[in-house]
Amino acid sequence: MSIAVPNDSATVLEKTPLERYVPPAKPSLVGLSRGALAQALGEIGVPERERRMRAQQLWHWLYVRGAQSFDVMTSVSKELRARLDEHFTLARPEVVAEQISVDGTRKWLLRLPGETPGERPHEVECVYIPDTDRGTLCLSSQVGCTLTCSFCHTGTQRLVRNLTPGEIVGQIMVARDRLGEWLSVRAPGEAGAAADNPRLVSNIVMMGMGEPLYNLDAVRDALLVASDNEGLAISRRRITLSTSGVVPNIVRAGEEIGVMLAVSLHAVRDDLRDELVPLNRKYPIKDLLDACRNYPGLSNARRITFEYVMLKGVNDSLADAKALVRLLKGIPAKINLIPFNPWPGTRYECSDWEQIEKFSEVVFNAGYASPVRTPRGRDILAACGQLKSATEKLSARERLALRAMAMTD
Ligand code: SAH
Ligand code: SF4
């Protein structure tokens, strides 16, 4: 790896050549729950009566201290540390490129092993978006996506595999490692404790590559680790899961994870939504909204965010805007208008700025606060949803877009 500092003052960690990739030989403990840690300890011969206590120690070193080697685990006996090291690692997904923009946005390209030995490794991206009152991490849940939304670049990617809980939690670990945040996660009163050192990664959005509700078990396990108070401690209220509308899993997500929900609506009529989000043919708008109404914990304080990508001449008429507010009537909702971010070969264009403003006015007049969060006259935006494996730098408009997407509350 080499660090190059180009003239535009963005810092770039250049992509590591593929030939140097070596898949991990031992399993990593990163991402494991307390129960799974106890089981791993059992596998290396730790007696049953000790497992809970030892798992608790490992948990603390992993998720509070951010330990990257067993050596630093001073509360664990030398003998056990050596045994752990023989069988496991604390490896995070391998960072093969990092880009840091002038505004602080960071993008990491991560390399993950293929599913079968000898298969080429996969790549996913993870983006950190700092803002005045928060720092949001946009996580991927799959390599590629099995769905084929017509405006989304990820949907054109052929390779698909689910990420493991470790690979999802690993993205948070990578961010905290790179931001040097572990130091700020100290016991109250200790130098550098959270009170005088605000959280860098305070929010999570599952809006990177993939459909999280088609990898529900792993996403659930990962988010339960992420939201555990005694570990990474990112509150469920600060975690938003975005779905294209996998209806049977929406209520399950609410019950089993309890995070905030965002729904990629994008159209108010089934014929158009069938085209934009083909999953609509299986789960049409009415079924989707019924599932939303039944989302556990839904209230005015815990609204669902409806995402609506602005596609010129496709879904951006004022009649659409009026139909949108009619459709969502009675559901505690927020509306996020996302200017479309074009990609090479797409047949869509982003709506004109004036049209976005007019559309947003209808939405605003219906009682939804500032649906487009970009200052007037700014360039159009992108979305995390179209992150793809490439090493291009994020353009200014993409960075702004990520910021708009991340504003889910
Ligand atoms: N698969 C999930 C989550 C990832 S996509 C989902 O579809 O909700 C996150 C968001 O980015 C979704 O609302 C998605 O529709 C949107 N998106 C995808 N491609 C985009 C593009 N080119 N421009 C703007 N938004 C896009
Ligand atoms: Fe998959 Fe979401 Fe892209 Fe649709 S918008 S193809 S569900 S990542």
Side-chain angles (χ1 to χ4, degrees):
M1 282 189 199
S2 61
I3 295 180
V5 183
N7 298 336
D8 67 358
S9 71
T11 310
V12 179
L13 188 65
E14 279 178 357
K15 193 171 173 178
T16 322
L18 188 60
E19 302 78 66
R20 265 191 247 154
Y21 180 76
V22 185
K26 296 180 273 185
S28 172
L29 297 181
V30 165
L32 297 193
S33 63
R34 288 186 180 81
L37 286 172
Q39 201 185 328
L41 286 163
E43 283 165 22
I44 59 166
V46 173
E48 174 119 43
R49 60 178 191 287
E50 276 183 36
R51 278 180 216 160
R52 246 186 85 185
M53 187 264 286
R54 296 279 174 223
Q56 187 56 35
Q57 288 176 328
L58 277 179
W59 172 277
H60 179 83
W61 284 110
L62 270 166
Y63 304 125
V64 178
R65 299 284 169 161
Q68 301 204 37
S69 88
F70 293 108
D71 298 346
V72 301
M73 300 187 173
T74 44
S75 60
V76 179
S77 74
K78 264 202 168 140
E79 188 270 319
L80 180 56
R81 266 149 48 191
R83 217 161 356 127
L84 283 165
D85 195 38
E86 229 174 275
H87 295 89
F88 303 109
T89 71
L90 297 169
R92 294 78 158 113
E94 186 190 349
V95 179
V96 288
E98 175 179 61
Q99 288 145 15
I100 306 173
S101 301
V102 268
D103 66 359
T105 307
R106 296 185 186 219
K107 183 168 89 160
W108 295 284
L109 179 70
L110 307 172
R111 207 166 267 166
L112 308 172
E115 254 172 324
T116 48
E119 193 187 329
R120 280 168 66 93
H122 296 304
E123 289 176 351
V124 290
E125 284 174 356
C126 167
V127 181
Y128 173 67
I129 309 135
D131 228 313
T132 43
D133 61 338
R134 75 187 68 193
T136 305
L137 196 61
C138 179
L139 302 184
S140 293
S141 57
Q142 298 181 307
V143 174
C145 185
T146 51
L147 301 173
T148 50
C149 302
S150 52
F151 56 88
C152 174
H153 204 177
T154 303
T156 64
Q157 222 168 285
R158 228 166 30 87
L159 266 182
V160 181
R161 101 154 154 78
N162 280 337
L163 298 197
T164 64
E167 290 166 341
I168 299 169
V169 173
Q171 295 171 63
I172 309 173
M173 309 286 278
V174 162
R176 286 226 164 129
D177 292 345
R178 293 281 165 164
L179 294 166
E181 198 184 8
W182 297 114
L183 294 174
S184 69
V185 190
R186 295 192 173 183
E190 248 183 273
D196 44 277
N197 212 342
R199 281 296 191 78
L200 296 174
V201 178
S202 62
N203 292 48
I204 289 178
V205 291
M206 296 300 301
M207 293 186 186
M209 290 167 71
E211 169 49 58
L213 293 192
Y214 273 147
N215 188 14
L216 180 56
D217 291 356
V219 167
R220 175 199 56 216
D221 292 354
L223 294 183
L224 292 181
V225 169
S227 60
D228 191 294
N229 257 340
E230 291 165 27
L232 295 166
I234 298 166
S235 138
R236 286 179 175 82
R237 309 274 313 245
R238 290 174 171 272
I239 300 179
T240 301
L241 185 154
S242 174
T243 180
S244 57
V246 185
V247 165
N249 285 350
I250 287 181
V251 169
R252 262 192 73 195
E255 281 167 355
E256 296 176 25
I257 324 177
V259 291
M260 306 301 285
L261 184 70
V263 170
S264 299
L265 189 62
H266 306 319
V268 291
R269 299 184 326 266
D270 279 322
D271 59 334
L272 179 59
R273 195 162 188 274
D274 282 352
E275 205 184 292
L276 300 178
V277 185
L279 187 64
N280 194 68
R281 292 181 203 143
K282 200 161 176 192
Y283 306 118
I285 295 175
K286 184 185 170 301
D287 297 5
L288 175 58
L289 295 183
D290 281 347
C292 290
R293 285 190 190 90
N294 292 324
Y295 190 68
L298 184 63
S299 69
N300 281 334
R302 289 171 65 97
R303 295 165 190 257
I304 294 176
T305 301
F306 288 89
E307 298 159 282
Y308 197 94
V309 63
M310 300 298 295
L311 302 169
K312 186 175 182 166
V314 174
N315 65 354
D316 64 349
S317 73
L318 298 190
D320 285 319
K322 287 175 195 150
L324 176 63
V325 295
R326 265 201 310 275
L327 196 62
L328 298 185
K329 217 168 165 212
I331 305 178
K334 288 175 275 187
I335 297 175
N336 233 5
L337 301 181
I338 312 166
F340 171 63
N341 185 56
W343 37 275
T346 181
R347 60 186 135 118
Y348 299 106
E349 280 178 78
C350 180
S351 307
D352 295 329
W353 192 253
E354 299 78 66
Q355 190 60 22
I356 298 181
E357 290 219 312
K358 282 189 206 146
F359 194 105
S360 114
E361 214 171 281
V362 173
V363 171
F364 180 78
N365 289 339
Y368 298 94
S370 56
V372 198
R373 288 166 225 258
T374 40
R376 198 192 167 112
R378 280 264 182 92
D379 206 349
I380 52 163
L381 315 170
C384 322
Q386 51 119 52
L387 291 181
K388 58 190 190 300
S389 290
T391 44
E392 300 128 40
K393 268 186 275 171
L394 286 172
S395 65
R397 72 169 188 211
E398 280 173 322
R399 293 201 305 271
L400 286 166
L402 287 164
R403 200 145 272 170
M405 294 273 316
M407 298 294 281
T408 48
D409 57 0

